[in-house]
Amino acid sequence: MANSDLKLLGRWSSPYVMRVKIALNIKSLDYENFHETLNPKSDLLLQSNPIYKKIPVLIHGDKPICESLIIVEYIDEVWSSAPSILPSDPYDRSIARFWAAYIDDKWFPSMKGIFIVEEQESKKQYIKQLEEVVVNMEDTYLNISEGKDFFGGDRIGYLDIAFGCFLGWMSVVEELIGLKLIEEAKSPALAKWAERFAADAAVEGLIPETDKLLELSKVLQLKWRALAK
């Protein structure tokens, strides 16, 4: 479905931008991709998201939409005739939103903490937090998937997008800490889900290569540590 009116401001490495790309792929929407260097930030980004000045931003016509999960919901509502992303049942939607908010509250801050802190004891605290998220998401998957391939059922849905976008960066963290976070022995359902998610047509080619993210992580680590001082 051609949509020359859609523009996406983002970066290849951003898991939050990846969320939007997956949603656009699910809806078979064409869009113009604007790569942001963020140093300096483009005028278009500053004009489109003057409050947070962050990616991703989806511009539909002349209207900017900000924040990844808000954008995903916008895409689902505007192009409602295509495969649904959010559950149709109001209660199921509330559950999906709850766990998506939980992921944003716990997962990325813990990963970022591992990059920033240098003391091993502090790193262990963040690793423990990540392991707790995996345990909770394993239980959540078993509770809401009803034995189907994804959190959202037979197809990738809202919660799959919210969590699955971090799989690339999770591989980087695993390299740094020497520990597998999602492994079949401890979280068998989630391990199989991760494989299916990465292989899905809407996701294929979007998860960045671990080696490239590792190189980028060295730059980000220096930046984040300097900001934390």
Side-chain angles (χ1 to χ4, degrees), residues 92-157:
D92 292 341
R93 283 201 299 275
S94 72
I95 295 299
R97 286 171 176 145
F98 172 86
W99 286 110
Y102 168 80
I103 289 163
D104 277 356
D105 185 50
K106 300 293 184 182
W107 189 262
F108 182 75
S110 298
M111 288 202 308
K112 186 176 179 179
I114 289 172
F115 286 109
I116 294 174
V117 300
E118 299 182 58
E119 304 83 5
Q120 288 304 311
E121 284 304 312
S122 297
K123 284 186 186 293
K124 287 179 182 177
Q125 292 178 3
Y126 287 119
I127 293 169
K128 183 179 179 181
Q129 290 174 18
L130 291 176
E131 290 175 328
E132 287 176 355
V133 174
V134 171
V135 169
N136 286 330
M137 295 312 296
E138 172 84 359
D139 290 342
T140 301
Y141 177 82
L142 293 173
N143 288 333
I144 72 175
S145 68
E146 298 180 345
K148 296 180 179 178
D149 285 348
F150 300 102
F151 286 94
D154 293 320
R155 294 190 298 264
I156 284 177

Side-chain angles (χ1 to χ4, degrees), residues 8-9 26 53 71 129-131 145 152 159 183 216 219-220 227:
L8 176 61
L9 313 186
I26 288 173
K53 304 176 178 63
I71 298 171
Q129 290 174 18
L130 291 176
E131 290 175 328
S145 68
L159 188 50
E183 59 176 346
L216 177 60
V219 177
L220 291 175
L227 292 172

Side-chain angles (χ1 to χ4, degrees), residues 188-200:
L190 212 54
K192 291 184 176 65
W193 163 83
E195 292 178 2
R196 289 191 294 268
F197 179 86
D200 191 87

Side-chain angles (χ1 to χ4, degrees), residues 7-82:
K7 300 178 179 65
L8 176 61
L9 313 186
R11 279 175 64 87
W12 65 272
S13 56
S14 169
Y16 301 105
V17 173
M18 182 178 162
R19 287 175 173 175
V20 179
K21 289 182 177 180
I22 294 170
L24 291 167
N25 286 346
I26 288 173
K27 300 290 187 175
S28 299
L29 296 170
D30 293 330
Y31 60 95
E32 192 173 356
N33 190 55
F34 285 78
H35 179 73
E36 283 289 332
T37 62
L38 302 180
N39 188 25
K41 296 178 180 180
S42 72
D43 290 339
L44 183 58
L45 174 59
L46 297 175
Q47 292 165 6
S48 302
N49 190 358
I51 303 301
Y52 291 114
K53 304 176 178 63
K54 291 180 179 179
I55 55 173
V57 177
L58 182 70
I59 302 175
H60 185 196
D62 59 353
K63 298 175 181 177
I65 306 97
C66 308
E67 297 296 304
S68 62
L69 292 178
I70 293 174
I71 298 171
V72 170
E73 292 202 33
Y74 177 86
I75 292 168
D76 197 35
E77 290 176 6
V78 172
W79 289 276
S80 57
S81 61

